Amino acid sequence: MKIAVAARAAGVALLATGAVVAGGLPAAADSFASPEMLQAMQRDLGLTAEQAADRVASELKATEVEKSVRDALGNAFAGAHFDEGSAKLVVSVTDAAKAAAVEAAGATAKVVSRTAAALDGVKGALDAAESSLPKGVTGWYVDVKSNNVVVNVQPGAANEARAQLAALPEAAAIKVVETDEAPTPLYDVRGGDAYYMGGGRCSIGFSVQGGFVTAGHCGRTGTATQGFNRVAQGTFRGSTFPGNGDFGWVATNSNWTPRGVVNRYSGSTTVRVAGSSESAVGASICRSGSTTGWRCGTVQAKNQTVRYPQGAVTGMTRTNACAEPGDSGGSWLSGTQAQGVTSGGSGNCSSGGTTYFQPVNEILSAYGLRLVTS
């Protein structure tokens, strides 16, 4: 209702820090690298199973080395980074006399001019001056590899940034770098969450690849949407209502990530979506919506034609779960199986009522969409 206004990767067993397993592969603690992490490293870093295990073991060793040399170097410590090529930790120092201690610990020493504390101070000064920095500045960070503080700016904004930053006492330590990056916050698309369009509010049905499905009466093709936080979210790419259903789908922008979950409105809990197998008449069913949260009932009938004031809608599923304005478009689940999106009904969640939903598989088929599952 709308309201107005793994298993061990490729046989590699990871045991304990510094251990060597059959086949000569280094091993790391299971708590440091799960099988899932190793598999993801192979996929995203282009590594073999052996290379992933080797890298994890080397990085774990580097972590321990950094802890020990940081304390030993004291104020001479200038940062450290893992060098992929040598599979060793590179430790920057400002006192050449202490380089030998770094090498003795199994790391590579690099003599630089600025301490870690000094670089942190420069970064802190930029934090304090944030409100006065040019609009073209998109962020800043301590770069231990170059022994500088890098300030990222949008293309064409470097000269203005350099001119303004030159007035800072720490300017010599600042390196301005142009980048195409335009950082924005990222949000999850979850079933049952609110979204807004014009002067109305509806609820998300289910995440699909590229967006989400919802009720068609919530918006027409081309209608822009905002998320629960009123941040620009997406656009209706399709909408049907009344007639052969009450369904639509919204393509979301890059700030929003569709997730295969539904909001249960009980603290921070969600229900995972595993598929869309249709339940039988008489089956228990629950729904999520941004007005009344999580409510349950049973399926009473399928393929009902409902006559709304706007016209008849065919193919609805009838339930005795309650709903209220603003719940439209929200998720219906039996167990972990997606069933449909809220269309309309009668009554409310104080006195009870009848609510109809649009079966989800028809929506997926109509638009060629793929459900996001978890």
Side-chain angles (χ1 to χ4, degrees):
M1 301 174 186
K2 173 182 175 182
I3 67 168
V5 194
R8 302 181 185 276
V12 178
L14 298 180
L15 303 177
T17 305
V20 177
V21 300
L25 297 181
D30 284 340
S31 60
F32 189 79
S34 66
E36 291 79 10
M37 177 179 173
L38 286 171
Q39 291 165 3
M41 289 173 66
Q42 293 173 57
R43 180 195 66 203
D44 297 336
L45 300 180
L47 304 175
T48 65
E50 181 174 352
Q51 289 170 335
D54 282 343
R55 179 158 178 164
V56 164
S58 297
E59 290 174 352
L60 183 57
K61 180 180 178 181
T63 299
E64 298 302 323
V65 170
E66 181 177 356
K67 289 179 182 177
S68 64
V69 298
R70 180 188 289 267
D71 293 336
L73 293 174
N75 292 334
F77 179 73
H81 68 275
F82 180 79
D83 179 66
E84 183 179 352
S86 65
K88 293 178 66 175
L89 187 73
V90 177
V91 178
S92 297
V93 296
T94 55
D95 185 350
K98 295 186 176 181
V102 172
E103 300 287 346
T108 299
K110 179 182 179 181
V111 179
V112 296
S113 59
R114 303 180 185 93
T115 66
L119 292 174
D120 287 341
V122 175
K123 195 266 181 183
L126 291 172
D127 289 343
E130 185 272 332
S131 61
S132 63
L133 295 179
K135 290 184 178 180
V137 173
T138 61
W140 49 92
Y141 63 94
V142 172
D143 181 17
V144 295
K145 292 184 179 181
S146 67
N147 197 233
N148 284 304
V149 172
V150 170
V151 174
N152 289 132
V153 299
Q154 295 173 339
N159 289 338
E160 180 186 2
R162 289 192 184 98
Q164 186 163 339
L165 294 171
L168 295 177
E170 307 86 357
I174 297 174
K175 180 180 179 182
V176 176
V177 176
E178 288 194 356
T179 175
D180 291 331
E181 296 175 3
T184 57
L186 303 178
Y187 309 101
D188 286 343
V189 175
R190 305 184 306 175
D193 280 355
Y195 70 92
Y196 296 85
M197 57 291 150
R201 167 171 59 85
C202 276
S203 301
I204 292 171
F206 294 96
S207 292
V208 295
Q209 296 294 329
F212 62 87
V213 296
T214 187
H217 73 262
C218 289
R220 294 303 182 208
T221 301
T223 298
T225 68
Q226 297 175 313
F228 65 91
N229 49 10
R230 301 285 187 161
V231 171
Q233 180 191 62
T235 306
F236 269 82
R237 291 294 179 85
S239 176
T240 294
F241 177 81
N244 185 31
D246 181 6
F247 55 85
W249 86 281
V250 172
T252 52
N253 61 43
S254 59
N255 294 341
W256 294 83
T257 302
R259 302 293 188 193
V261 297
V262 170
N263 187 352
R264 268 191 66 189
Y265 286 93
S266 176
S268 59
T269 62
T270 57
V271 178
R272 72 185 184 94
V273 179
S276 58
S277 296
E278 188 175 326
S279 60
V281 171
S284 59
I285 193 165
C286 296
R287 48 149 292 271
S288 178
S290 58
T291 298
T292 58
W294 184 254
R295 305 284 177 155
C296 299
T298 59
V299 176
Q300 296 182 315
K302 297 182 180 182
N303 197 28
Q304 176 167 343
T305 297
V306 180
R307 296 185 70 186
Y308 293 121
Q310 297 88 346
V313 179
T314 61
M316 296 290 100
T317 297
R318 177 189 180 95
T319 77
N320 59 5
C322 69
E324 295 181 6
D327 288 328
S328 269
S331 326
W332 288 78
L333 286 162
S334 283
T336 59
Q337 298 298 308
Q339 299 299 309
V341 301
T342 300
S343 175
S346 59
N348 55 53
C349 288
S350 296
S351 59
T354 298
T355 306
Y356 304 98
F357 70 79
Q358 163 69 53
V360 70
N361 286 331
E362 183 181 355
I363 312 176
L364 301 177
S365 176
Y367 297 124
L369 300 172
R370 187 153 59 97
L371 191 69
V372 173
T373 58
S374 63

